């Protein structure tokens, strides 16, 4: 079975917006599960810390989104919905942490903005690394 057929069946590659968002949420949940596996932390030197786990999650989302982007317009839309699921999860998690730590809404927004800035920087770096390795 081709990757396109698998994605169409599992992720709603050609589905409408609502179905595609549900598919992106399912994909995101699978990515979260994969990124929490102990292998990167145990075998590859990724620190088992907030930053290490954030990096691992973002790398998994990035790799899947890049692959989806190769599936044309529908894949690119699903990739955007996957990133939206990541951002929504980050926002919710930061708000929950803020409540527990007694951090106000403004500070949570600042932390969220910094996390997004860090994510964008890492995506640029990973994209450049992939493009460089493909040219070699």
């Amino acid at each position: 079975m081709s990757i396109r057929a698998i994605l169409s069946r599992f992720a709603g590659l050609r589905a409408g917006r609502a179905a595609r968002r549900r598919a992106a949420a399912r994909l995101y949940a699978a990515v979260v599960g994969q990124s929490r596996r102990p292998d990167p932390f145990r075998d590859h030197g990724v620190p088992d810390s907030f930053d290490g786990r954030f990096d691992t999650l973002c790398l998994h989302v990035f790799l899947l989104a890049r692959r989806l982007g190769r599936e044309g317009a529908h894949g690119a839309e699903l990739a955007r919905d996957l990133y939206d699921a990541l951002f929504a999860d980050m926002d919710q998690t930061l708000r929950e942490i803020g409540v527990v730590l007694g951090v106000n809404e403004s500070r949570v927004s600042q932390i969220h903005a910094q996390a997004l800035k860090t994510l964008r920087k890492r995506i640029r770096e990973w994209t450049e690394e992939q493009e460089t390795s493909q040219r070699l």
Side-chain angles (χ1 to χ4, degrees):
M1 183 177 283
S2 72
I3 187 70
R4 184 175 297 246
I6 292 168
L7 288 172
S8 293
R9 188 171 290 165
F10 177 71
L13 191 58
R14 298 196 183 282
R17 181 118 176 107
R20 203 178 55 245
R21 283 184 175 229
R22 287 189 302 274
R26 286 192 310 271
L27 281 173
Y28 180 72
V31 166
V32 168
Q34 187 67 27
S35 72
R36 289 182 178 165
R37 293 176 49 94
D39 311 42
F41 312 102
R42 182 188 62 223
D43 302 336
H44 301 289
V46 176
D48 191 0
S49 63
F50 180 83
D51 286 340
R53 289 184 175 269
F54 177 72
D55 284 348
T56 303
L57 173 61
C58 291
L59 179 60
H60 278 79
V61 169
F62 166 77
L63 292 171
L64 179 56
R66 289 278 291 196
R67 179 64 187 93
L68 289 169
R70 287 188 237 140
E71 295 299 320
H74 294 292
E77 290 169 356
L78 183 56
R80 280 191 296 276
D81 289 339
L82 180 64
Y83 277 118
D84 288 347
L86 169 65
F87 299 150
D89 183 45
M90 284 175 40
D91 184 58
Q92 180 65 34
T93 299
L94 289 172
R95 290 180 191 287
E96 290 171 3
I97 290 170
V99 167
V100 170
L101 298 178
V103 175
N104 67 32
E105 182 85 17
S106 175
R107 182 64 184 134
V108 169
S109 294
Q110 290 172 348
I111 294 168
H112 189 244
Q114 183 60 43
L116 290 176
K117 184 178 175 182
T118 300
L119 175 59
R120 286 186 192 104
K121 179 182 177 214
R122 289 178 181 146
I123 289 171
R124 274 193 310 277
E125 291 168 354
W126 293 330
T127 301
E128 290 169 7
E129 288 174 15
Q130 278 197 338
E131 290 170 354
T132 299
S133 69
Q134 288 173 353
R135 284 192 295 262
L136 299 177

